[in-house]
Amino acid sequence: MNPSSIKWADCLQFTRVTDIGMRRANNQDAHETMIAKNEESWPQKGHVLVVADGMGAHVAGELASELAVRGVTQLFHQYGDLTPAHALYKAIANTNLEIHRRGQADAAFHNMGTTISALILLPDGALVGHVGDSRIYRFRN
């Protein structure tokens, strides 16, 4: 199929599910979805789906995962002059630096961290950015 013939609104069905797990009293998962506003913006920005699972003490894991999903989503779009692959890499790397900085600046957040799984859907394919043990699945049929 010719990628330019794929309509942006017809190519996507998604769901977001988080689970508290068996060891924690709070859910340290966070997710962010930014769907292209229209067909014209889809080739440049794509659909962005991000999920993160925080690690660390109660507040620290929640903060890390929230910072991750917001940071990756926002920075990816700010790096519009880069290729999508380079923009995703840079968004993840710079978000990691910010999470680390926040963890070092406040003893309550020391050693906080998070996994991150980011999926960028563009007319000519998908990009995956991944750190940690979270996963992205593709289901067909």
Side-chain angles (χ1 to χ4, degrees), residues 30-50:
H31 51 79
E32 187 76 35
T33 304
M34 187 174 288
I35 304 305
K37 292 183 173 140
N38 53 47
E39 197 156 342
E40 291 74 37
S41 66
W42 186 43
Q44 292 80 32
K45 302 292 184 182
H47 302 310
V48 180
L49 299 95
V50 183

Side-chain angles (χ1 to χ4, degrees), residues 72-93:
V72 169
T73 304
Q74 291 171 358
L75 289 175
F76 175 77
H77 282 92
Q78 287 178 9
Y79 300 140
D81 57 327
L82 302 175
T83 66
H86 191 218
L88 180 58
Y89 173 82
K90 194 170 176 181
I92 290 172

Side-chain angles (χ1 to χ4, degrees), residues 47-65:
H47 302 310
V48 180
L49 299 95
V50 183
V51 63
D53 182 8
M55 303 175 295
H58 175 77
V59 177
E62 288 179 16
L63 176 62
S65 64

Side-chain angles (χ1 to χ4, degrees), residues 17 50-53 115-119 128-139:
V17 177
V50 183
V51 63
D53 182 8
T115 66
I116 188 99
S117 293
L119 175 66
V128 174
H130 175 76
V131 178
D133 63 355
S134 295
R135 296 168 297 280
I136 294 175
Y137 295 97
R138 178 180 179 188
F139 292 103

Side-chain angles (χ1 to χ4, degrees), residues 93-128:
N94 287 335
T95 298
N96 178 61
L97 290 174
E98 177 60 16
I99 292 169
H100 180 73
R101 185 194 65 75
R102 295 276 295 266
Q104 296 300 310
D106 188 331
F109 302 140
H110 187 67
N111 289 331
M112 74 174 171
T114 185
T115 66
I116 188 99
S117 293
L119 175 66
I120 313 298
L121 297 174
L122 296 158
D124 56 348
L127 295 171
V128 174

